[in-house]
Structure formats: structure tokens, C-alpha cells
Amino acid sequence: MIKLTRRSRVLVIHYSQSGQLDSVAHSLVKPLLSCNDIQVDFLNLRPQQDFPFPWPLLRFINAFPESAHQIPCDLQLDTSALADDYDLVILAYQVWFLAPSIPISSFLQTPTAASLLKGKPVVTVIACRNMWLQAQEKVKSHLTRCNASLVGNVVFVDGVSSAASFFSTPLWVLTGRKGPHWFGLVPAAGVKQSAIDGAARFGEKIGLTLHKQQAFDESLFRGMGAVRVNEKFIASEKIGARSFHVWGKLFLACGAPESLLRQFLALFYIVFLILMIVTVVPLTALIKTILKPFTKARVARQKSYYSWPSGE
Ligand SMILES: Cc1cc2nc3c(=O)[nH]c(=O)nc-3n(C[C@H](O)[C@H](O)[C@H](O)COP(=O)(O)O)c2cc1C
């Protein structure tokens, strides 16, 4: 008697403004697309009213309260082409103001997410400037609420120094041009193409696991260098997320992002934000360096916590 086994199914949930995150997600699943016994479906999230790209400056700043508080936007969710049951869900997202981008946090709060993710192993794929720790904490909470289990996390960050991306990333999202800008003074923004191409190795590991009919667990990407936790950002991200939360309440009390009052507040907040970034981030990094000999064990614990489940 011939035993019929169904094709393995992988669902990729993604959203991208510039296309960067889409390229990362596609590169990652590329090895699976050529396997006849693996079906890969894509759910491209589309907000009813999409966010602008490039962003006008005040609209960009005014996205922080809704991002930090994860206020959902309406999505056009067409799931008619999707299967009922997936062996693995890949959630590819970018970070907005130390939180998952609004389309992603909105999706994670829908009944559709609850039913697609329930009981499923999930791999998160992040492509952002370089500050993703607090966003992933929020995503972890959503996954726990949806009874999904996080089995892997793969992170791609901009391929230039933190100081350079402080200029290159905002210039990119505000002009729509990656650069280089200003005669090469500000390098090109975004994840390096070689890193995007290298994402395929994670897809190969997923394919291997499916072909061996092994269950997905937290060992999936161990030892593959899927994430690197920059310890310098641990404290500054916590402070930043707290600040976005508190200031966000004030902004939200002033109405919708387009309201005049919020436009005015945003002007003031830009100055505050820049001052925060150029003081708090280096200051906490400096304090961390000074205290390094005394905090080694604690930092190691934090790095292991934030790099879970993939490990560094
Ligand atoms: C509104 C907004 C806020 C952002 N905030 C952060 C952030 O807090 N941390 C970070 O590492 N990157 C941040 N980025 C960069 C994005 O994570 C991402 O790298 C970039 O927007 C490209 O993503 P895309 O694939 O949607 O084009 C932000 C981008 C935008 C548009």
C-alpha cells in the first residue's frame, strides 16, 4: 500500500516599505522554493491606508506613539489562498521606534493571527537599523498569547557603524534613497547584500529539518550566528522604550497623528529625541564599559536571554 504524506507547508508573513525585508525573507526561503515537497505561502500585510515611504519628517516622528503603544491600524487581510495548517510560520518584521512596525503589531492582534499561529512553531526574521531587543520582547509576548512557540530568531542589521547609521537610516526613510549621501560622508543605509544573500543558509536548515521530518525546536539555528546581541544597547533600549511609552501617552492624548497639536509636539520632540540619542546611548555604553569587569556575569545572562532561542 502506498503511504501518502502531505507536502510540508511553510507560511511567510511579511511587510516591507522599501522592499528590504521582503528581499531578506525571499532569500531565506529560496532553498525551500525549489523543493517539490515543500509548499511556501506568503502573506504580505497591507494596511488599509499604507504608511508613506519616504516619510515626511513630522509624520515619521508622529508614528512613535502608535508604534510604542502598538495601536493597531486596519489591514486588508486576504487569507483565502492560505492553507489551514502550517508546519512552520516565518514572521518577518522591521522595528519602528523599538517596537514591531505598526502593520506587524496590528496583525499580531488580529483573530487571523491567533488562528494561524496557534500551536505553531515560529521563526522571527528581523531586518532593522540595529536596535531590535525591545521589539522582539513585544513580539515574544504576542506569540505567547497566541500559543505559538518561538523556535528561532534571525536578525539582520545595517552594515555600517552605529554612528554612521544614526545618519544613514533616517536619511534613507526620509528621502527614499539609500545613499551614499553627501559625497560619501554618509555611507549607504541598509543591510548589506552579502548578508541578505547569506540568509539562504537558514532556509536550508529549515528544509533539512522538514525533509528529516524532525519537529522544530529551539535548537533550529543554534551555532549558526543567527543573532548578535550588542550589549551596549541593552540599557539604552530599555530607557528608550520607557521614554517612548511615557511621551507616547501625551501624544496620543492630543489626537490623531495628523492633528495640529501633534505636529507641533513632534517638532519639539525631534530635538528631545536627538538629544536623547546622542546622550543616553553613548552614556549608557560608557557606563557599561566602565562597569564591565563587575557586570560580566550579568551581561552574559542578559546576552543569553536576548539571543534566545537561536543563541549567538
Ligand atoms: C518609523 C520608523 C522607525 C524606525 N525605528 C527603528 C528602530 O527603533 N530601531 C531600528 O533598528 N530601526 C528602526 N527603523 C528602521 C527599520 O527597522 C528598517 O530598517 C527600515 O525602515 C527598512 O525597512 P523596510 O523593509 O520596511 O523598508 C525605523 C524605520 C522607520 C520607518
Side-chain angles (χ1 to χ4, degrees):
M1 194 170 70
I2 298 167
K3 191 176 166 214
L4 291 174
T5 49
R6 75 164 175 82
R7 291 168 88 197
S8 301
R9 294 184 189 126
V10 175
L11 173 64
V12 184
I13 300 166
H14 61 115
Y15 169 81
S16 180
Q17 289 202 296
S18 68
Q20 171 175 275
L21 196 59
D22 291 346
S23 321
V24 171
H26 277 91
S27 169
L28 194 143
V29 296
K30 203 171 165 196
L32 308 178
L33 298 176
S34 50
C35 300
N36 290 333
D37 53 351
I38 301 176
Q39 173 182 330
V40 183
D41 292 338
F42 293 88
L43 179 60
N44 188 6
L45 301 180
R46 294 178 200 283
Q48 290 279 10
Q49 208 183 346
D50 208 355
F51 293 88
F53 191 85
W55 291 73
L57 179 63
L58 293 186
R59 184 68 190 87
F60 172 75
I61 297 296
N62 254 314
F64 95 81
E66 279 76 10
S67 304
H69 284 263
Q70 301 190 79
I71 310 268
C73 66
D74 291 329
L75 298 171
Q76 306 171 28
L77 267 182
D78 182 6
T79 55
S80 54
L82 299 188
D84 300 329
D85 200 21
Y86 285 93
D87 299 290
L88 180 73
V89 178
I90 297 175
L91 177 70
Y93 75 93
Q94 60 287 87
V95 179
W96 286 1
F97 297 108
L98 308 179
S101 68
I102 296 175
I104 293 289
S105 65
S106 305
F107 170 74
L108 288 169
Q109 296 174 65
T110 60
T112 308
S115 74
L116 281 172
L117 296 172
K118 189 176 173 192
K120 297 285 172 273
V122 174
V123 163
T124 45
V125 178
I126 305 172
C128 67
R129 180 189 159 225
N130 58 13
M131 298 180 95
W132 54 272
L133 305 177
Q134 290 300 315
Q136 181 70 350
E137 287 305 289
K138 290 188 163 74
V139 169
K140 278 190 212 164
S141 305
H142 286 298
L143 296 180
T144 304
R145 185 179 40 74
C146 294
N147 284 316
S149 46
L150 182 64
V151 294
N153 180 28
V154 191
V155 180
F156 299 85
V157 296
D158 285 8
V160 293
S161 72
S162 193
S165 66
F166 175 69
F167 296 98
S168 61
T169 308
L171 273 171
W172 176 25
V173 300
L174 295 174
T175 65
R177 286 180 288 112
K178 275 193 162 174
H181 296 271
W182 301 337
F183 306 104
L185 221 59
V186 177
V191 177
K192 289 241 183 308
Q193 189 57 45
S194 54
I196 295 179
D197 296 340
R201 72 187 203 277
F202 300 103
E204 280 161 13
K205 184 68 199 294
I206 291 171
L208 205 66
T209 309
L210 287 171
H211 285 137
K212 285 185 177 167
Q213 300 194 334
Q214 285 173 342
F216 287 105
D217 64 28
E218 295 162 12
S219 67
L220 182 62
F221 297 140
R222 291 265 162 86
M224 292 182 71
V227 300
R228 195 180 88 75
V229 174
N230 189 336
E231 61 193 70
K232 292 191 181 121
F233 295 146
I234 297 174
S236 44
E237 276 211 37
K238 273 189 191 160
I239 296 168
R242 186 81 211 121
S243 166
F244 284 145
H245 192 82
V246 173
W247 279 92
K249 278 188 184 168
L250 173 70
F251 272 65
L252 292 171
C254 294
E258 301 75 27
S259 77
L260 258 183
L261 194 52
R262 273 188 61 170
Q263 309 266 338
F264 174 74
L265 264 180
L267 275 175
F268 169 74
Y269 194 71
I270 291 169
V271 181
F272 172 79
L273 195 60
I274 293 173
L275 283 178
M276 267 249 319
I277 294 170
V278 298
T279 54
V280 172
V281 176
L283 203 70
T284 52
L286 181 70
I287 294 171
K288 273 223 132 138
T289 311
I290 293 169
L291 295 178
K292 203 170 180 175
F294 314 103
T295 54
K296 253 189 181 159
R298 186 161 172 265
V299 170
R301 273 199 307 277
Q302 287 176 323
K303 287 183 87 167
S304 136
Y305 171 79
Y306 286 112
S307 64
W308 178 88
S310 299
E312 288 195 280

